[in-house]
């Protein structure tokens, strides 16, 4: 295996892990990083989705006690069953809309111009959401969510099918706008990511299996490893960060980064491949 290609896989894994759970769009960053590194063919698109699984393992590790306790209590606890049901309810819209529109979105919206535009728009939405008083939140933790709360967050998550929107950004900020506290929205976003991203990764690998071979295992293994490590560090940092900070800094980052991408693309300074 080409050592340069493995190094590129490591870089892409780090980009995935650091951006998957921040409200700044991992897909958008992977598209742009892939364009700069020359990893933007059909196999690279499968790679981008598959390495999300590494990031998800990091979430499972961080939230292992909650996940373990919930699974163990399912036979006897109504609270545990309600929580599991809410995650399922929040997951279903992504399945339905992904199957209906996923192919069209990949064919027409995976472009640097779309990514940059949604970066900027998403940043503006975060700034607007953070101006709302947190005292309006009626859901303080994930155990007090209703199925309707979960369905609303699940529908908002589908906005992230447009690259550059950010799945975590849509669920966290959308949840806050729907009445969840910052902590509850962040926690539910992480739990919702587990079935969503694992499902997307397995489906993509199965659908595009003809593009892959055993020779690709080192490439995918490196990407998964670096995605896992960087995501584990990022999730632990983010949970500490939100206890004392808002998401305003991420909003300004999105706006600035989107402007840079648009400016370099329009000026011809950087060729951002689709």
């Amino acid at each position: 295996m080409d050592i340069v290609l493995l190094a590129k896989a490591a870089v892409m894994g780090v980009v995935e892990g650091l951006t998957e759970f921040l409200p700044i769009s991992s897909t958008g960053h992977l598209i742009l990083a892939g364009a700069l590194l020359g990893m933007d063919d059909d196999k690279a698109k499968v790679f981008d989705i598959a390495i999300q699984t590494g990031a998800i393992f990091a979430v499972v590790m961080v939230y292992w006690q909650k996940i373990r306790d919930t699974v163990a209590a399912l036979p006897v606890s109504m609270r545990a069953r309600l929580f599991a049901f809410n995650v399922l309810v929040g997951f279903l819209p992504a399945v339905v809309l992904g199957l209906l529109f996923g192919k069209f979105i990949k064919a027409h919206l995976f472009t640097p111009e779309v990514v940059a535009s949604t970066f900027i728009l998403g940043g503006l939405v975060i700034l607007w959401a953070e101006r709302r008083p947190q005292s309006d939140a009626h859901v303080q933790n994930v155990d007090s969510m209703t199925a309707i709360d979960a369905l609303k967050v699940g529908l908002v998550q589908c906005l992230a099918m447009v690259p550059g929107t950010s799945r975590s950004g849509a669920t966290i900020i959308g949840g806050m706008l729907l009445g969840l506290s910052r902590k509850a929205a962040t926690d539910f976003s992480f739990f919702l990511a587990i079935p969503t991203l694992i499902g997307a990764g397995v489906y993509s690998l199965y659908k595009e299996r003809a593009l892959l071979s055993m020779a690709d295992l080192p490439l995918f293994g490196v990407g998964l490893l670096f995605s896992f490590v960087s995501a584990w560090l990022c999730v632990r940092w983010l949970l500490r960060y939100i206890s004392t900070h808002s998401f305003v800094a991420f909003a300004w980052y999105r706006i600035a980064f989107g402007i840079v991408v648009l400016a370099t693309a329009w000026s011809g300074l950087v060729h951002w491949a689709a």
Side-chain angles (χ1 to χ4, degrees):
M1 175 62 70
D2 185 350
I3 190 67
V4 174
L5 189 57
L6 290 179
K8 290 181 179 180
V11 171
M12 295 292 281
V14 171
V15 170
E16 159 62 25
L18 292 180
T19 59
E20 180 61 54
F21 303 109
L22 301 180
I24 57 175
S25 177
S26 63
T27 301
H29 280 81
L30 287 172
I31 290 173
L32 299 176
L36 291 175
L37 295 173
M39 296 184 67
D40 50 16
D41 57 8
D42 289 338
K43 183 183 291 188
K45 292 178 181 179
V46 179
F47 172 84
D48 290 350
I49 296 174
I51 63 173
Q52 293 174 341
T53 308
I56 286 305
F57 286 152
V59 168
V60 172
M61 189 172 180
V62 172
Y63 283 94
W64 175 244
Q65 183 174 348
K66 171 68 174 178
I67 295 171
R68 181 195 61 192
D69 293 347
T70 298
V71 173
L74 283 175
V76 297
S77 171
M78 179 60 70
R79 171 176 287 188
R81 290 195 291 269
L82 177 60
F83 173 72
F85 179 71
N86 285 345
V87 173
L88 177 62
V89 168
F91 167 60
L92 288 178
V95 175
V96 175
L97 295 182
L99 292 174
L100 289 176
F101 301 109
K103 187 174 181 179
F104 172 86
I105 290 172
K106 287 183 179 179
H108 299 284
L109 298 183
F110 273 58
T111 67
E113 291 78 13
V114 170
V115 170
S117 299
T118 51
F119 261 61
I120 295 170
L121 179 60
L124 295 174
V125 171
I126 292 174
L127 290 177
W128 173 64
E130 286 289 8
R131 291 178 62 88
R132 294 162 57 92
Q134 274 288 289
S135 58
D136 291 345
H138 63 271
V139 178
Q140 296 300 318
N141 58 71
V142 292
D143 289 323
S144 61
M145 291 179 64
T146 67
I148 296 299
D149 293 326
L151 178 60
K152 289 178 180 178
V153 175
L155 289 171
V156 171
Q157 177 177 239
C158 295
L159 294 174
M161 293 171 63
V162 180
T165 301
S166 172
R167 190 208 62 82
S168 58
T171 50
I172 295 173
I173 302 303
M176 290 169 59
L177 292 173
L178 291 169
L180 277 65
S181 69
R182 184 179 287 107
K183 181 66 165 57
T186 302
D187 285 342
F188 193 69
S189 174
F190 288 157
F191 288 119
L192 194 56
I194 296 174
T196 301
L197 299 187
I198 290 178
V202 171
Y203 177 74
S204 179
L205 286 173
Y206 174 77
K207 186 178 179 182
E208 306 295 345
R209 61 192 182 279
L211 295 173
L212 308 174
S213 68
M214 293 299 292
D216 296 314
L217 282 177
L219 178 75
F220 280 70
V222 168
L224 284 167
L225 175 62
F226 278 83
S227 173
F228 167 77
V229 173
S230 55
W232 182 75
L233 294 171
C234 184
V235 169
R236 289 169 59 87
W237 171 82
L238 182 62
L239 291 174
R240 294 193 301 269
Y241 178 87
I242 64 169
S243 64
T244 55
H245 297 79
S246 72
F247 291 110
V248 168
F250 298 112
W252 287 117
Y253 169 81
R254 290 180 62 109
I255 293 169
F257 193 63
I259 291 173
V260 168
V261 172
L262 286 178
T264 54
W266 288 343
S267 66
L269 184 62
V270 178
H271 175 63
W272 300 100

